[in-house]
Amino acid sequence: MDMAENDTHHYDILVIGGGNAALAAALQAQESGAKVLIIERAPQFYRGGNSRHTRDFRIMHAYENDYMMGAYTEDEFMEDLRRVAGGEIDESLARLIITKSAELPEWLSNQGVRWQPPLSGTLHLARTNMFMLGGGRAMMNAYYRTASSKNIDIWYEALVEDLVIEGNEFTAAQVRKGNKQIIVRAKAVILASGGFEANIAWLKKYWGDAADNFVIRGTPYNQGNMIQTLLKYGAESIGEPDAFHAVAVDGRAPKFDGGIVTRLDSVPFGIVVNRGGKRFYDEGEDFWPKRYAIWGGLIARQPGQVAYSIIDSKALSKFMPSVFDPIVADSLSELADKLGLPPSQLQSTVQAFNHSIRQGTFDPSTLDDCYTEGITPPKSHWAVPIDEAPYYAYPLRAGITFTYLGVRINNKANIQFHNRQVCNMFAAGEMVAGNVLRRGYLAGFGLTMGAVLGRIAGEEAANVIK
Ligand SMILES: Cc1cc2nc3c(=O)[nH]c(=O)nc-3n(C[C@H](O)[C@H](O)[C@H](O)COP(=O)(O)OP(=O)(O)OC[C@H]3O[C@@H](n4cnc5c(N)ncnc54)[C@H](O)[C@@H]3O)c2cc1C
């Protein structure tokens, strides 16, 4: 790199990314008096990455408060994470995130974030999760306002393209801003630039052409180029390459940035069929908050990466309504016609399902005793006949939230390299998700992981430059 001196900027700590993990890191680093620069590739209006779409943090707490019902202990949180993580994770890092989550409500309040009691239709999270007033965008606005008031510099529409690591030390980043190339020299760097979920070409390496049919629920700016750069310089990779958090979204959702309102929660209240009109998974396996994040992957593996949630009029009011109207018909064959499904197959799937139901007491708040017998796949709970016209359907697609492949860190959020120890490079947020998530997900853990590790990274970066 041959750069004129006036294209070079000097800071104590450079933070790459502009979401929850980045802002937590920057604000924490600034508390020690460090001169901090945040580089966000999105324009100001779209700042905040996927964090802009969020609603709640998962928080360990000993007592009920105004915003969370009852207690949620370290052990229960850890057990919940273990159950859904889907494989081996770094348990000591996970426990650190959990214990330090208890500090977040106060610390975030000090950054200007405000809270609200849980809304209905929020996946039964009233005891375990704390909801931001105004959601992720209000949270990000508060973070940025506080950062500006503390003289943290922020560059928008600036893309970090490469890093300079000399020997065992990070020394600079190469940045493109419009058609200008800029060098930022810093004593330490914190990478918090998200996963690679918006990079369809990268997803195709593991999913083939199916990735063309995925919907990306969040920001188009998370292309993973910093993960690629770190791996190029010998950072240890972590996480399953094809693993991601993916939910069922309405098939009519936009390709990018549709956010929370395109998610569909109708699955446990009916059946889901593929484009052949056949069921393919237990729609009532467990409570929806524990299962919603696997449905994107299930749909991703169906022909055409499409599925259809089928319900009848009894079910319509039982879940948070979709932003799109359901497709409605007076008979199942008319519904099949409208969806382009084979009518006789849909009818026989529904008939077989209805006949297999062992009648119980329907109760969406418990793992009730309404289940099927003698069909594959079974429906383990909330199985009630689909028999009251009109019938409704929602087309479903795989909505990718974020990817898990990233870089390994230690308990100081310090990035681990194969061939050397680089003490002044840290990472937080989605790009380190694979350290504590293998395949599954726990609602609210993305933000918690990002804020806790961001704060640790900020503090440790400030320590190494002293
Ligand atoms: C619709 C939706 C709802 C969600 N709801 C919740 C929820 O309620 N609770 C929860 O815990 N999690 C939720 N999640 C997951 C959550 O959004 C993420 O886990 C979390 O926000 C990730 O934070 P982050 O800071 O790591 O990444 P992001 O917030 O995505 O930020 C990454 C940033 O890096 C920037 N960037 C990327 N590459 C570069 C580069 N080379 N140079 C400069 N900048 C770069 C991007 O522009 C972006 O601003 C939700 C996700 C979605 C999509």
Side-chain angles (χ1 to χ4, degrees), residues 130-143:
M130 197 148 153
F131 284 73
M132 299 89 77
L133 182 66
R137 191 180 272 270
M139 171 181 76
M140 291 316 304
N141 287 344
Y143 263 139

Side-chain angles (χ1 to χ4, degrees), residues 320-388:
M320 197 159 60
S322 167
V323 73
F324 299 97
D325 288 336
I327 290 148
V328 56
D330 289 328
S331 70
L332 285 167
S333 62
E334 187 193 338
L335 191 68
D337 273 341
K338 286 186 170 175
L339 299 172
L341 301 177
S344 57
Q345 181 60 58
L346 182 66
Q347 273 171 315
S348 70
T349 298
V350 172
Q351 214 167 43
F353 171 73
N354 287 351
H355 286 150
S356 72
I357 292 169
R358 192 186 168 286
Q359 291 272 344
T361 310
F362 175 76
D363 181 357
S365 67
T366 65
L367 292 173
D368 73 7
D369 57 353
C370 299
Y371 57 87
T372 61
E373 271 175 344
I375 53 163
T376 309
K379 184 170 180 186
S380 304
H381 306 283
W382 314 298
V384 287
I386 298 174
D387 57 4
E388 276 182 30

Side-chain angles (χ1 to χ4, degrees), residues 50-363:
N50 283 343
S51 305
R52 165 170 61 91
H53 289 294
T54 58
R55 299 186 301 175
D56 55 272
F57 286 79
R58 186 166 287 252
I59 301 287
M60 169 189 126
H61 55 281
Y63 305 102
E64 174 155 337
N65 61 32
D66 287 349
Y67 305 108
M68 289 179 288
M69 296 160 58
Y72 189 44
T73 64
E74 176 184 336
D75 286 343
E76 191 185 351
F77 194 153
M78 190 67 211
E79 199 36 52
D80 283 347
L81 181 63
R82 254 195 221 113
R83 211 172 34 241
V84 300
E88 215 176 290
I89 56 167
D90 180 340
E91 294 231 350
S92 99
L93 188 65
R95 215 169 256 286
L96 179 66
I97 294 170
I98 289 169
T99 52
K100 286 191 87 68
S101 74
E103 297 171 13
L104 288 179
E106 188 183 346
W107 187 80
L108 287 160
S109 299
N110 290 340
Q111 313 311 318
V113 178
R114 295 291 170 259
W115 308 96
Q116 65 178 34
L119 306 167
S120 62
T122 47
L123 301 174
H124 314 287
L125 299 172
R127 184 169 66 86
T128 55
N129 288 32
M130 197 148 153
F131 284 73
M132 299 89 77
L133 182 66
R137 191 180 272 270
M139 171 181 76
M140 291 316 304
N141 287 344
Y143 263 139
Y144 275 98
R145 235 182 348 258
T146 306
S148 297
S149 74
K150 297 195 166 168
N151 295 323
I152 293 175
D153 284 351
I154 301 159
W155 294 356
Y156 297 106
E157 297 182 70
L159 171 70
V160 180
E161 290 186 318
D162 206 354
L163 304 170
V164 183
I165 305 170
E166 295 177 78
N168 288 343
E169 199 184 356
F170 161 85
T171 55
Q174 188 182 324
V175 184
R176 186 157 52 80
K177 205 169 181 333
N179 52 15
K180 265 171 66 183
Q181 291 281 353
I182 303 169
I183 295 292
V184 175
R185 293 195 169 276
K187 296 175 193 158
V189 66
I190 300 167
L191 292 110
S193 49
F196 63 90
E197 54 275 354
N199 188 330
I200 305 293
W202 193 344
L203 291 172
K204 276 187 168 181
K205 275 171 58 178
Y206 318 116
W207 290 90
D209 289 342
D212 281 329
N213 292 326
F214 295 169
V215 168
I216 313 306
R217 302 173 70 209
T219 181
Y221 297 102
N222 285 0
Q223 296 282 332
N225 77 321
M226 284 295 100
I227 298 176
Q228 243 155 4
T229 304
L230 286 170
L231 297 179
K232 175 178 84 180
Y233 290 125
E236 286 182 44
S237 78
I238 188 119
E240 308 284 332
D242 65 339
F244 48 43
H245 176 291
V247 307
V249 292
D250 196 299
R252 297 159 290 185
K255 183 74 180 171
F256 292 100
D257 250 347
I260 192 79
V261 294
T262 66
R263 192 183 76 205
L264 262 177
D265 295 337
S266 55
V267 170
F269 300 100
I271 59 168
V272 176
V273 299
N274 60 19
R275 71 179 181 194
K278 295 189 173 160
R279 291 177 60 241
F280 54 90
Y281 199 80
D282 183 346
E283 301 89 348
E285 192 177 38
D286 203 341
F287 287 117
W288 189 233
K290 303 213 170 103
R291 283 293 170 271
Y292 78 107
I294 67 168
W295 273 85
L298 294 170
I299 296 163
R301 290 177 181 87
Q302 290 304 306
Q305 295 68 54
V306 66
Y308 301 88
S309 169
I310 311 284
I311 57 170
D312 70 2
S313 55
K314 296 192 293 296
L316 193 62
S317 60
K318 299 210 162 28
F319 52 92
M320 197 159 60
S322 167
V323 73
F324 299 97
D325 288 336
I327 290 148
V328 56
D330 289 328
S331 70
L332 285 167
S333 62
E334 187 193 338
L335 191 68
D337 273 341
K338 286 186 170 175
L339 299 172
L341 301 177
S344 57
Q345 181 60 58
L346 182 66
Q347 273 171 315
S348 70
T349 298
V350 172
Q351 214 167 43
F353 171 73
N354 287 351
H355 286 150
S356 72
I357 292 169
R358 192 186 168 286
Q359 291 272 344
T361 310
F362 175 76
D363 181 357

